[in-house]
Amino acid sequence: MHSQDHTLSVFLTDEAATLGMGKTLAPSMRGGLTIFLQGDLGAGKTTLTRGILHALGHQGRVKSPTYTLVEPYVISNLHFHHFDLYRFGDPGEWEDAGFREMFNPDSICLVEWPDKAAGLLPQPDWIIRLEPEADGRRLTLLALTLTGKACLASLTDFPPSPNAA
Ligand SMILES: Nc1ncnc2c1ncn2[C@@H]1O[C@H](COP(=O)(O)OP(=O)(O)OP(=O)(O)O)[C@@H](O)[C@H]1O
Ligand SMILES: [Mg+2]
């Protein structure tokens, strides 16, 4: 794992590593955070979200909200909204479905396929990109806001051990 003030890059060898990265990131996340998850179909966005939710204490399933567009979770007093906007096509639905209100100081929003609702979403605090590399994935995290940078700086295993990939 390589990291600078505002970015982090890590190679994830397999699914377990993606879940583990979710566990690494989870403790540094706080209410009000908006996170865009970028990457093609099958890149590992939902897998990473699953790792984050389980690390935060969610014990049930984490299913892909491909058809429902959003799946809500409540963990302690925190509302957690996992969006998958791949099938989002009607901007009117943004207001009607109450999506706008889901982005608030008491909730963490993770958004797969944010480009599908460009112009409707707030500015992300983090952009996490997942791309195929060898047999695994490359995860790149960009912290864009003051809040996002502060959260990244609070990563518990930060800075990473020198022998990390
Ligand atoms: N680091 C990794 N290396 C190899 N395979 C991985 C890695 N992380 C996850 N995978 C696998 O890749 C697939 C990713 O599926 P996942 O549903 O998480 O992708 P997604 O980005 O959410 O796709 P979609 O855009 O369709 O929602 C799963 O089969 C998972 O096991
Ligand atoms: Mg997904």
Side-chain angles (χ1 to χ4, degrees):
M1 182 153 65
H2 298 285
S3 41
Q4 295 178 325
D5 273 6
H6 310 147
T7 71
L8 175 157
S9 174
V10 59
F11 177 67
L12 305 167
T13 47
D14 53 18
E15 178 179 305
T18 305
L19 292 168
M21 191 60 199
K23 191 174 177 185
T24 298
L25 293 174
S28 61
M29 294 170 60
R30 62 178 85 139
L33 216 59
T34 296
I35 300 167
F36 286 5
L37 292 173
Q38 296 182 336
D40 285 342
L41 290 167
K45 304 179 294 294
T46 298
T47 306
L48 184 72
T49 304
R50 191 171 289 132
I52 290 167
L53 284 166
H54 285 158
L56 289 172
H58 174 70
Q59 294 186 344
R61 285 189 61 206
V62 175
K63 52 187 180 188
S64 180
T66 308
Y67 292 96
T68 52
L69 298 178
V70 64
E71 193 68 36
Y73 300 86
V74 184
I75 302 168
S76 301
N77 288 329
L78 211 56
H79 291 261
F80 196 104
H81 299 287
H82 176 207
F83 288 89
D84 181 340
L85 300 177
Y86 189 73
R87 290 172 189 278
F88 178 78
D90 173 12
E93 196 181 350
W94 194 256
E95 298 289 343
D96 298 346
F99 289 167
R100 187 178 300 281
E101 288 73 38
M102 292 179 187
F103 294 81
N104 67 65
D106 295 322
S107 75
I108 294 172
C109 290
L110 271 155
V111 187
E112 299 186 35
W113 297 101
D115 297 356
K116 304 276 183 179
L120 296 168
L121 286 159
Q123 190 197 9
D125 298 289
W126 285 356
I127 293 177
I128 298 175
R129 181 153 191 83
L130 285 153
E131 293 161 293
E133 184 176 306
D135 289 336
R137 306 286 188 269
R138 168 69 50 182
L139 180 150
T140 310
L141 187 156
L142 289 180
L144 297 166
T145 63
L146 278 178
T147 305
K149 288 169 190 172
C151 288
L152 179 59
S154 76
L155 269 191
T156 46
D157 63 346
F158 184 93
S161 57
N163 59 353

